[in-house]
Each structure stands twice: as C-alpha cells, then as structure tokens.
mmCIF file of all heavy atoms in Angstrom:
data_model
loop_
_atom_site.group_PDB
_atom_site.id
_atom_site.type_symbol
_atom_site.label_atom_id
_atom_site.label_comp_id
_atom_site.label_asym_id
_atom_site.label_seq_id
_atom_site.Cartn_x
_atom_site.Cartn_y
_atom_site.Cartn_z
ATOM 1 N N LEU A 1 0.822 -1.208 0.000
ATOM 2 C CA LEU A 1 0.000 0.000 0.000
ATOM 3 C C LEU A 1 0.855 1.256 0.000
ATOM 4 O O LEU A 1 0.497 2.264 -0.635
ATOM 5 C CB LEU A 1 -0.944 -0.017 1.206
ATOM 6 C CG LEU A 1 -1.981 -1.147 1.231
ATOM 7 C CD1 LEU A 1 -2.896 -1.005 2.443
ATOM 8 C CD2 LEU A 1 -2.811 -1.160 -0.052
ATOM 9 N N TRP A 2 2.018 1.235 0.700
ATOM 10 C CA TRP A 2 2.919 2.389 0.679
ATOM 11 C C TRP A 2 3.450 2.604 -0.732
ATOM 12 O O TRP A 2 3.520 3.742 -1.222
ATOM 13 C CB TRP A 2 4.067 2.166 1.663
ATOM 14 C CG TRP A 2 4.967 3.363 1.807
ATOM 15 C CD1 TRP A 2 4.813 4.434 2.619
ATOM 16 C CD2 TRP A 2 6.191 3.591 1.097
ATOM 17 N NE1 TRP A 2 5.840 5.330 2.481
ATOM 18 C CE2 TRP A 2 6.719 4.838 1.538
ATOM 19 C CE3 TRP A 2 6.902 2.877 0.131
ATOM 20 C CZ2 TRP A 2 7.908 5.380 1.054
ATOM 21 C CZ3 TRP A 2 8.087 3.418 -0.362
ATOM 22 C CH2 TRP A 2 8.582 4.655 0.102
ATOM 23 N N ALA A 3 3.806 1.515 -1.427
ATOM 24 C CA ALA A 3 4.324 1.618 -2.791
ATOM 25 C C ALA A 3 3.251 2.162 -3.743
ATOM 26 O O ALA A 3 3.546 2.980 -4.627
ATOM 27 C CB ALA A 3 4.819 0.256 -3.270
ATOM 28 N N CYS A 4 2.022 1.726 -3.559
ATOM 29 C CA CYS A 4 0.931 2.247 -4.399
ATOM 30 C C CYS A 4 0.761 3.751 -4.192
ATOM 31 O O CYS A 4 0.527 4.512 -5.152
ATOM 32 C CB CYS A 4 -0.370 1.523 -4.078
ATOM 33 S SG CYS A 4 -0.445 -0.187 -4.650
ATOM 34 N N SER A 5 0.878 4.177 -2.949
ATOM 35 C CA SER A 5 0.758 5.604 -2.654
ATOM 36 C C SER A 5 1.884 6.392 -3.291
ATOM 37 O O SER A 5 1.670 7.492 -3.836
ATOM 38 C CB SER A 5 0.752 5.825 -1.139
ATOM 39 O OG SER A 5 -0.403 5.267 -0.563
ATOM 40 N N GLN A 6 3.093 5.869 -3.223
ATOM 41 C CA GLN A 6 4.225 6.578 -3.819
ATOM 42 C C GLN A 6 4.110 6.645 -5.330
ATOM 43 O O GLN A 6 4.467 7.653 -5.954
ATOM 44 C CB GLN A 6 5.551 5.906 -3.412
ATOM 45 C CG GLN A 6 5.776 5.822 -1.907
ATOM 46 C CD GLN A 6 5.275 7.049 -1.176
ATOM 47 O OE1 GLN A 6 5.745 8.169 -1.405
ATOM 48 N NE2 GLN A 6 4.307 6.845 -0.280
ATOM 49 N N ALA A 7 3.601 5.579 -5.933
ATOM 50 C CA ALA A 7 3.397 5.594 -7.383
ATOM 51 C C ALA A 7 2.381 6.662 -7.768
ATOM 52 O O ALA A 7 2.518 7.344 -8.801
ATOM 53 C CB ALA A 7 2.931 4.218 -7.852
ATOM 54 N N GLU A 8 1.373 6.844 -6.941
ATOM 55 C CA GLU A 8 0.364 7.867 -7.208
ATOM 56 C C GLU A 8 0.958 9.262 -7.063
ATOM 57 O O GLU A 8 0.643 10.177 -7.842
ATOM 58 C CB GLU A 8 -0.820 7.675 -6.247
ATOM 59 C CG GLU A 8 -2.002 8.578 -6.539
ATOM 60 C CD GLU A 8 -3.223 8.232 -5.703
ATOM 61 O OE1 GLU A 8 -3.290 7.126 -5.148
ATOM 62 O OE2 GLU A 8 -4.116 9.105 -5.616
ATOM 63 N N LEU A 9 1.852 9.451 -6.067
ATOM 64 C CA LEU A 9 2.470 10.759 -5.860
ATOM 65 C C LEU A 9 3.492 11.077 -6.954
ATOM 66 O O LEU A 9 3.795 12.252 -7.211
ATOM 67 C CB LEU A 9 3.147 10.808 -4.486
ATOM 68 C CG LEU A 9 2.207 10.767 -3.275
ATOM 69 C CD1 LEU A 9 3.019 10.696 -1.983
ATOM 70 C CD2 LEU A 9 1.292 11.980 -3.250
ATOM 71 N N TRP A 10 4.028 10.082 -7.590
ATOM 72 C CA TRP A 10 5.086 10.297 -8.591
ATOM 73 C C TRP A 10 4.535 10.861 -9.896
ATOM 74 O O TRP A 10 5.221 11.553 -10.628
ATOM 75 C CB TRP A 10 5.786 8.950 -8.853
ATOM 76 C CG TRP A 10 6.939 9.044 -9.801
ATOM 77 C CD1 TRP A 10 8.167 9.586 -9.573
ATOM 78 C CD2 TRP A 10 6.963 8.566 -11.149
ATOM 79 N NE1 TRP A 10 8.974 9.483 -10.666
ATOM 80 C CE2 TRP A 10 8.252 8.856 -11.668
ATOM 81 C CE3 TRP A 10 6.047 7.929 -11.972
ATOM 82 C CZ2 TRP A 10 8.636 8.522 -12.970
ATOM 83 C CZ3 TRP A 10 6.415 7.599 -13.266
ATOM 84 C CH2 TRP A 10 7.695 7.894 -13.748
ATOM 85 N N THR A 11 3.230 10.576 -10.165
ATOM 86 C CA THR A 11 2.679 11.000 -11.444
ATOM 87 C C THR A 11 2.461 12.509 -11.479
ATOM 88 O O THR A 11 2.164 13.150 -10.462
ATOM 89 C CB THR A 11 1.366 10.267 -11.742
ATOM 90 O OG1 THR A 11 0.942 10.614 -13.063
ATOM 91 C CG2 THR A 11 0.277 10.696 -10.767
ATOM 92 N N ILE A 12 2.606 13.089 -12.646
ATOM 93 C CA ILE A 12 2.416 14.529 -12.857
ATOM 94 C C ILE A 12 1.122 14.805 -13.619
ATOM 95 O O ILE A 12 0.449 15.804 -13.407
ATOM 96 C CB ILE A 12 3.610 15.117 -13.636
ATOM 97 C CG1 ILE A 12 4.894 14.920 -12.832
ATOM 98 C CG2 ILE A 12 3.398 16.601 -13.926
ATOM 99 C CD1 ILE A 12 4.891 15.574 -11.478
ATOM 100 N N SER A 13 0.735 13.874 -14.475
ATOM 101 C CA SER A 13 -0.438 14.057 -15.331
ATOM 102 C C SER A 13 -1.718 14.104 -14.512
ATOM 103 O O SER A 13 -1.972 13.234 -13.678
ATOM 104 C CB SER A 13 -0.515 12.924 -16.357
ATOM 105 O OG SER A 13 -1.780 12.881 -16.966
ATOM 106 N N ASP A 14 -2.541 15.132 -14.768
ATOM 107 C CA ASP A 14 -3.820 15.242 -14.072
ATOM 108 C C ASP A 14 -4.738 14.059 -14.400
ATOM 109 O O ASP A 14 -5.460 13.556 -13.538
ATOM 110 C CB ASP A 14 -4.521 16.547 -14.448
ATOM 111 C CG ASP A 14 -3.836 17.763 -13.842
ATOM 112 O OD1 ASP A 14 -3.098 17.584 -12.856
ATOM 113 O OD2 ASP A 14 -4.053 18.877 -14.354
ATOM 114 N N VAL A 15 -4.714 13.623 -15.654
ATOM 115 C CA VAL A 15 -5.556 12.496 -16.068
ATOM 116 C C VAL A 15 -5.134 11.228 -15.332
ATOM 117 O O VAL A 15 -5.960 10.477 -14.801
ATOM 118 C CB VAL A 15 -5.472 12.279 -17.587
ATOM 119 C CG1 VAL A 15 -6.223 11.009 -17.983
ATOM 120 C CG2 VAL A 15 -6.044 13.483 -18.326
ATOM 121 N N THR A 16 -3.814 10.995 -15.273
ATOM 122 C CA THR A 16 -3.316 9.795 -14.580
ATOM 123 C C THR A 16 -3.636 9.859 -13.092
ATOM 124 O O THR A 16 -3.994 8.854 -12.473
ATOM 125 C CB THR A 16 -1.805 9.662 -14.789
ATOM 126 O OG1 THR A 16 -1.523 9.641 -16.198
ATOM 127 C CG2 THR A 16 -1.276 8.385 -14.157
ATOM 128 N N LYS A 17 -3.521 11.057 -12.499
ATOM 129 C CA LYS A 17 -3.837 11.197 -11.079
ATOM 130 C C LYS A 17 -5.297 10.843 -10.818
ATOM 131 O O LYS A 17 -5.615 10.164 -9.832
ATOM 132 C CB LYS A 17 -3.540 12.634 -10.617
ATOM 133 C CG LYS A 17 -2.062 12.909 -10.370
ATOM 134 C CD LYS A 17 -1.847 14.234 -9.693
ATOM 135 C CE LYS A 17 -2.216 15.384 -10.606
ATOM 136 N NZ LYS A 17 -1.872 16.701 -9.999
ATOM 137 N N ARG A 18 -6.200 11.316 -11.695
ATOM 138 C CA ARG A 18 -7.615 10.997 -11.532
ATOM 139 C C ARG A 18 -7.851 9.497 -11.680
ATOM 140 O O ARG A 18 -8.626 8.893 -10.933
ATOM 141 C CB ARG A 18 -8.456 11.773 -12.556
ATOM 142 C CG ARG A 18 -8.636 13.248 -12.225
ATOM 143 C CD ARG A 18 -9.768 13.849 -13.027
ATOM 144 N NE ARG A 18 -9.514 13.794 -14.462
ATOM 145 C CZ ARG A 18 -8.873 14.743 -15.145
ATOM 146 N NH1 ARG A 18 -8.420 15.822 -14.526
ATOM 147 N NH2 ARG A 18 -8.685 14.611 -16.443
ATOM 148 N N ASN A 19 -7.146 8.894 -12.645
ATOM 149 C CA ASN A 19 -7.301 7.451 -12.864
ATOM 150 C C ASN A 19 -6.794 6.649 -11.663
ATOM 151 O O ASN A 19 -7.403 5.639 -11.262
ATOM 152 C CB ASN A 19 -6.554 7.021 -14.131
ATOM 153 C CG ASN A 19 -7.232 7.525 -15.393
ATOM 154 O OD1 ASN A 19 -8.424 7.846 -15.379
ATOM 155 N ND2 ASN A 19 -6.487 7.598 -16.486
ATOM 156 N N LEU A 20 -5.683 7.101 -11.077
ATOM 157 C CA LEU A 20 -5.139 6.390 -9.924
ATOM 158 C C LEU A 20 -6.051 6.526 -8.715
ATOM 159 O O LEU A 20 -6.228 5.585 -7.933
ATOM 160 C CB LEU A 20 -3.734 6.901 -9.601
ATOM 161 C CG LEU A 20 -2.634 6.498 -10.590
ATOM 162 C CD1 LEU A 20 -1.332 7.191 -10.253
ATOM 163 C CD2 LEU A 20 -2.438 4.985 -10.575
ATOM 164 N N LYS A 21 -6.642 7.696 -8.551
ATOM 165 C CA LYS A 21 -7.583 7.874 -7.448
ATOM 166 C C LYS A 21 -8.814 6.987 -7.656
ATOM 167 O O LYS A 21 -9.328 6.368 -6.709
ATOM 168 C CB LYS A 21 -8.000 9.341 -7.339
ATOM 169 C CG LYS A 21 -8.877 9.613 -6.119
ATOM 170 C CD LYS A 21 -9.142 11.106 -5.946
ATOM 171 C CE LYS A 21 -9.977 11.350 -4.685
ATOM 172 N NZ LYS A 21 -10.240 12.780 -4.469
ATOM 173 N N GLU A 22 -9.283 6.913 -8.902
ATOM 174 C CA GLU A 22 -10.414 6.050 -9.210
ATOM 175 C C GLU A 22 -10.044 4.583 -8.990
ATOM 176 O O GLU A 22 -10.864 3.786 -8.527
ATOM 177 C CB GLU A 22 -10.852 6.271 -10.668
ATOM 178 C CG GLU A 22 -12.090 5.477 -11.081
ATOM 179 C CD GLU A 22 -13.337 5.908 -10.334
ATOM 180 O OE1 GLU A 22 -13.390 7.049 -9.842
ATOM 181 O OE2 GLU A 22 -14.275 5.093 -10.245
ATOM 182 N N LEU A 23 -8.777 4.252 -9.301
ATOM 183 C CA LEU A 23 -8.308 2.891 -9.055
ATOM 184 C C LEU A 23 -8.357 2.563 -7.557
ATOM 185 O O LEU A 23 -8.756 1.467 -7.164
ATOM 186 C CB LEU A 23 -6.877 2.734 -9.578
ATOM 187 C CG LEU A 23 -6.218 1.366 -9.325
ATOM 188 C CD1 LEU A 23 -6.932 0.276 -10.102
ATOM 189 C CD2 LEU A 23 -4.737 1.409 -9.713
ATOM 190 N N ARG A 24 -7.960 3.529 -6.717
ATOM 191 C CA ARG A 24 -8.027 3.335 -5.269
ATOM 192 C C ARG A 24 -9.473 3.083 -4.825
ATOM 193 O O ARG A 24 -9.738 2.211 -3.997
ATOM 194 C CB ARG A 24 -7.499 4.579 -4.543
ATOM 195 C CG ARG A 24 -6.121 4.404 -3.958
ATOM 196 C CD ARG A 24 -5.782 5.518 -2.988
ATOM 197 N NE ARG A 24 -5.774 6.830 -3.583
ATOM 198 C CZ ARG A 24 -6.329 7.899 -3.038
ATOM 199 N NH1 ARG A 24 -6.979 7.799 -1.894
ATOM 200 N NH2 ARG A 24 -6.265 9.058 -3.639
ATOM 201 N N TYR A 25 -10.370 3.877 -5.379
ATOM 202 C CA TYR A 25 -11.771 3.744 -5.017
ATOM 203 C C TYR A 25 -12.317 2.375 -5.423
ATOM 204 O O TYR A 25 -12.957 1.682 -4.620
ATOM 205 C CB TYR A 25 -12.589 4.857 -5.698
ATOM 206 C CG TYR A 25 -14.070 4.769 -5.446
ATOM 207 C CD1 TYR A 25 -14.633 5.303 -4.293
ATOM 208 C CD2 TYR A 25 -14.907 4.121 -6.354
ATOM 209 C CE1 TYR A 25 -15.998 5.206 -4.049
ATOM 210 C CE2 TYR A 25 -16.262 4.019 -6.123
ATOM 211 C CZ TYR A 25 -16.799 4.567 -4.971
ATOM 212 O OH TYR A 25 -18.153 4.452 -4.723
ATOM 213 N N GLU A 26 -12.072 1.969 -6.681
ATOM 214 C CA GLU A 26 -12.600 0.697 -7.162
ATOM 215 C C GLU A 26 -11.956 -0.482 -6.445
ATOM 216 O O GLU A 26 -12.625 -1.473 -6.125
ATOM 217 C CB GLU A 26 -12.371 0.576 -8.677
ATOM 218 C CG GLU A 26 -13.287 1.438 -9.516
ATOM 219 C CD GLU A 26 -14.749 1.072 -9.297
ATOM 220 O OE1 GLU A 26 -15.059 -0.137 -9.202
ATOM 221 O OE2 GLU A 26 -15.586 1.979 -9.194
ATOM 222 N N THR A 27 -10.657 -0.399 -6.176
ATOM 223 C CA THR A 27 -9.982 -1.484 -5.465
ATOM 224 C C THR A 27 -10.543 -1.636 -4.055
ATOM 225 O O THR A 27 -10.792 -2.748 -3.579
ATOM 226 C CB THR A 27 -8.462 -1.215 -5.396
ATOM 227 O OG1 THR A 27 -7.947 -1.095 -6.720
ATOM 228 C CG2 THR A 27 -7.737 -2.338 -4.679
ATOM 229 N N SER A 28 -10.763 -0.502 -3.377
ATOM 230 C CA SER A 28 -11.334 -0.542 -2.028
ATOM 231 C C SER A 28 -12.727 -1.142 -2.044
ATOM 232 O O SER A 28 -13.096 -1.921 -1.151
ATOM 233 C CB SER A 28 -11.371 0.865 -1.433
ATOM 234 O OG SER A 28 -10.069 1.414 -1.326
ATOM 235 N N ARG A 29 -13.513 -0.801 -3.072
ATOM 236 C CA ARG A 29 -14.872 -1.330 -3.183
ATOM 237 C C ARG A 29 -14.850 -2.833 -3.440
ATOM 238 O O ARG A 29 -15.596 -3.604 -2.803
ATOM 239 C CB ARG A 29 -15.620 -0.615 -4.312
ATOM 240 C CG ARG A 29 -17.078 -1.050 -4.471
ATOM 241 C CD ARG A 29 -17.729 -0.346 -5.648
ATOM 242 N NE ARG A 29 -17.106 -0.731 -6.904
ATOM 243 C CZ ARG A 29 -17.417 -1.858 -7.567
ATOM 244 N NH1 ARG A 29 -18.326 -2.692 -7.072
ATOM 245 N NH2 ARG A 29 -16.834 -2.145 -8.704
ATOM 246 N N LEU A 30 -13.986 -3.266 -4.347
ATOM 247 C CA LEU A 30 -13.913 -4.685 -4.673
ATOM 248 C C LEU A 30 -13.410 -5.511 -3.487
ATOM 249 O O LEU A 30 -13.910 -6.608 -3.211
ATOM 250 C CB LEU A 30 -13.009 -4.899 -5.886
ATOM 251 C CG LEU A 30 -13.569 -4.402 -7.225
ATOM 252 C CD1 LEU A 30 -12.492 -4.451 -8.304
ATOM 253 C CD2 LEU A 30 -14.768 -5.234 -7.636
ATOM 254 N N LEU A 31 -12.424 -4.985 -2.764
ATOM 255 C CA LEU A 31 -11.913 -5.709 -1.599
ATOM 256 C C LEU A 31 -12.978 -5.831 -0.516
ATOM 257 O O LEU A 31 -13.055 -6.836 0.182
ATOM 258 C CB LEU A 31 -10.677 -4.995 -1.037
ATOM 259 C CG LEU A 31 -9.391 -5.135 -1.863
ATOM 260 C CD1 LEU A 31 -8.287 -4.271 -1.283
ATOM 261 C CD2 LEU A 31 -8.945 -6.598 -1.913
ATOM 262 N N ARG A 32 -13.806 -4.806 -0.396
ATOM 263 C CA ARG A 32 -14.908 -4.864 0.572
ATOM 264 C C ARG A 32 -15.823 -6.051 0.262
ATOM 265 O O ARG A 32 -16.248 -6.792 1.149
ATOM 266 C CB ARG A 32 -15.703 -3.562 0.524
ATOM 267 C CG ARG A 32 -16.845 -3.476 1.534
ATOM 268 C CD ARG A 32 -17.624 -2.189 1.334
ATOM 269 N NE ARG A 32 -16.790 -1.031 1.582
ATOM 270 C CZ ARG A 32 -16.603 -0.478 2.788
ATOM 271 N NH1 ARG A 32 -17.222 -0.994 3.833
ATOM 272 N NH2 ARG A 32 -15.828 0.567 2.931
ATOM 273 N N GLN A 33 -16.104 -6.264 -1.025
ATOM 274 C CA GLN A 33 -16.979 -7.366 -1.414
ATOM 275 C C GLN A 33 -16.275 -8.717 -1.323
ATOM 276 O O GLN A 33 -16.867 -9.717 -0.909
ATOM 277 C CB GLN A 33 -17.489 -7.143 -2.843
ATOM 278 C CG GLN A 33 -18.399 -5.925 -2.978
ATOM 279 C CD GLN A 33 -18.822 -5.681 -4.407
ATOM 280 O OE1 GLN A 33 -18.064 -5.928 -5.339
ATOM 281 N NE2 GLN A 33 -20.044 -5.189 -4.586
ATOM 282 N N LEU A 34 -15.002 -8.739 -1.680
ATOM 283 C CA LEU A 34 -14.274 -10.007 -1.707
ATOM 284 C C LEU A 34 -14.099 -10.618 -0.319
ATOM 285 O O LEU A 34 -14.044 -11.839 -0.178
ATOM 286 C CB LEU A 34 -12.900 -9.812 -2.362
ATOM 287 C CG LEU A 34 -12.900 -9.647 -3.885
ATOM 288 C CD1 LEU A 34 -11.533 -9.219 -4.377
ATOM 289 C CD2 LEU A 34 -13.324 -10.952 -4.554
ATOM 290 N N VAL A 35 -13.995 -9.780 0.704
ATOM 291 C CA VAL A 35 -13.770 -10.315 2.054
ATOM 292 C C VAL A 35 -15.069 -10.498 2.823
ATOM 293 O O VAL A 35 -15.049 -10.887 3.990
ATOM 294 C CB VAL A 35 -12.816 -9.405 2.867
ATOM 295 C CG1 VAL A 35 -11.487 -9.236 2.159
ATOM 296 C CG2 VAL A 35 -13.444 -8.038 3.151
ATOM 297 N N GLU A 36 -16.196 -10.258 2.155
ATOM 298 C CA GLU A 36 -17.483 -10.292 2.862
ATOM 299 C C GLU A 36 -17.724 -11.625 3.563
ATOM 300 O O GLU A 36 -18.249 -11.676 4.678
ATOM 301 C CB GLU A 36 -18.614 -10.019 1.868
ATOM 302 C CG GLU A 36 -19.986 -9.946 2.504
ATOM 303 C CD GLU A 36 -21.074 -9.605 1.497
ATOM 304 O OE1 GLU A 36 -20.756 -9.524 0.289
ATOM 305 O OE2 GLU A 36 -22.226 -9.448 1.909
ATOM 306 N N ASP A 37 -17.339 -12.736 2.926
ATOM 307 C CA ASP A 37 -17.610 -14.058 3.491
ATOM 308 C C ASP A 37 -16.489 -14.588 4.366
ATOM 309 O O ASP A 37 -16.592 -15.700 4.897
ATOM 310 C CB ASP A 37 -17.888 -15.059 2.361
ATOM 311 C CG ASP A 37 -19.193 -14.748 1.631
ATOM 312 O OD1 ASP A 37 -20.098 -14.202 2.281
ATOM 313 O OD2 ASP A 37 -19.292 -15.051 0.433
ATOM 314 N N LEU A 38 -15.414 -13.823 4.527
ATOM 315 C CA LEU A 38 -14.345 -14.263 5.417
ATOM 316 C C LEU A 38 -14.806 -14.137 6.864
ATOM 317 O O LEU A 38 -15.598 -13.255 7.202
ATOM 318 C CB LEU A 38 -13.084 -13.422 5.199
ATOM 319 C CG LEU A 38 -12.381 -13.577 3.850
ATOM 320 C CD1 LEU A 38 -11.149 -12.678 3.805
ATOM 321 C CD2 LEU A 38 -11.988 -15.021 3.591
ATOM 322 N N PRO A 39 -14.332 -15.015 7.748
ATOM 323 C CA PRO A 39 -14.774 -14.943 9.151
ATOM 324 C C PRO A 39 -14.250 -13.703 9.841
ATOM 325 O O PRO A 39 -13.161 -13.209 9.529
ATOM 326 C CB PRO A 39 -14.176 -16.219 9.769
ATOM 327 C CG PRO A 39 -12.995 -16.535 8.913
ATOM 328 C CD PRO A 39 -13.378 -16.111 7.518
ATOM 329 N N ASP A 40 -15.027 -13.190 10.791
ATOM 330 C CA ASP A 40 -14.561 -12.092 11.618
ATOM 331 C C ASP A 40 -13.574 -12.635 12.633
ATOM 332 O O ASP A 40 -13.774 -13.718 13.200
ATOM 333 C CB ASP A 40 -15.730 -11.431 12.348
ATOM 334 C CG ASP A 40 -16.508 -10.511 11.443
ATOM 335 O OD1 ASP A 40 -17.323 -11.008 10.647
ATOM 336 O OD2 ASP A 40 -16.301 -9.294 11.530
ATOM 337 N N PRO A 41 -12.504 -11.891 12.905
ATOM 338 C CA PRO A 41 -11.514 -12.370 13.872
ATOM 339 C C PRO A 41 -12.025 -12.242 15.295
ATOM 340 O O PRO A 41 -12.908 -11.435 15.586
ATOM 341 C CB PRO A 41 -10.325 -11.431 13.637
ATOM 342 C CG PRO A 41 -10.944 -10.162 13.171
ATOM 343 C CD PRO A 41 -12.138 -10.581 12.343
ATOM 344 N N GLU A 42 -11.486 -13.069 16.176
ATOM 345 C CA GLU A 42 -11.763 -12.928 17.596
ATOM 346 C C GLU A 42 -10.933 -11.768 18.130
ATOM 347 O O GLU A 42 -9.716 -11.728 17.947
ATOM 348 C CB GLU A 42 -11.411 -14.213 18.351
ATOM 349 C CG GLU A 42 -12.356 -15.365 18.063
ATOM 350 C CD GLU A 42 -13.752 -15.112 18.601
ATOM 351 O OE1 GLU A 42 -13.859 -14.417 19.627
ATOM 352 O OE2 GLU A 42 -14.723 -15.609 18.002
ATOM 353 N N LEU A 43 -11.588 -10.823 18.794
ATOM 354 C CA LEU A 43 -10.895 -9.650 19.306
ATOM 355 C C LEU A 43 -11.053 -9.554 20.809
ATOM 356 O O LEU A 43 -12.094 -9.904 21.360
ATOM 357 C CB LEU A 43 -11.463 -8.370 18.668
ATOM 358 C CG LEU A 43 -11.104 -8.150 17.198
ATOM 359 C CD1 LEU A 43 -11.983 -7.060 16.625
ATOM 360 C CD2 LEU A 43 -9.651 -7.762 17.053
#
C-alpha cells in the first residue's frame, strides 16, 4: 500500500492522477466485497 501511494504521488499528469484515485476507489470497493464471506476475527 505504501508503494501504491508513492506511485500515485510520482505522477504529474492530471488524467493519470484521476485514474489512480479512481483505481483506489474501485480497489477498495472490490476488496470490501471479496472479504465479505471471510470470518470475523476474535478480538
């Protein structure tokens, strides 16, 4: 995740920055769905 953030900060293009932010959003959304059936940990 740190490397992904640095890759996003390295870009200069406004279009690429928007695409990377959208990538963060879609990845977060997909991961939310993918882990839905995983068990909750004991805390």
